[in-house]
Amino acid sequence: EPKAGYDVHHIVERTSARRDGYPDDWIDSLDNLIRIPRFKHWEINGWYATRQMELGGLSPREYLRGATWADRRQMGLHALREAGVLGR
């Protein structure tokens, strides 16, 4: 349900998962959706596009191309923790 100032965020990124052939019922499942503050959503989206030294200079999006669902989910949860949305 919509809530002012919040967005529904896909833990495993929707667009890249679709490109790699993951089914919509996985992508849009309740287990993959979380409501987070809009500015945190933007912060996480920016992080996914930024090159990371710990990923060999690749952005998380580049790094996750062809990755398993489990690896994508782990990265998505890491991003939420780093943004302060989830506890450590």
Side-chain angles (χ1 to χ4, degrees):
E1 295 179 20
K3 185 173 179 183
Y6 286 79
D7 290 336
V8 174
H9 173 75
H10 288 78
I11 297 168
V12 172
E13 280 201 310
R14 176 177 42 198
T15 301
S16 64
R18 281 191 178 131
R19 281 189 190 132
D20 280 348
Y22 287 96
D24 285 343
D25 59 330
W26 289 20
I27 295 166
D28 294 321
S29 75
L30 293 179
D31 289 341
N32 193 44
L33 302 175
I34 184 171
R35 187 191 333 260
I36 63 174
R38 179 158 297 134
F39 291 122
K40 291 294 183 178
H41 196 195
W42 295 346
E43 179 182 329
I44 291 168
N45 284 339
W47 177 83
Y48 266 98
T50 303
R51 296 182 184 276
Q52 307 290 325
M53 294 306 299
E54 60 271 12
L55 300 177
L58 298 173
S59 72
R61 281 191 187 112
E62 294 167 327
Y63 181 81
L64 290 170
R65 281 194 191 122
T68 66
W69 185 264
D71 288 341
R72 291 165 188 264
R73 184 167 176 81
Q74 182 178 346
M75 184 73 77
L77 293 172
H78 171 78
L80 289 164
R81 286 186 197 97
E82 288 296 310
V85 176
L86 292 179
R88 297 202 178 250

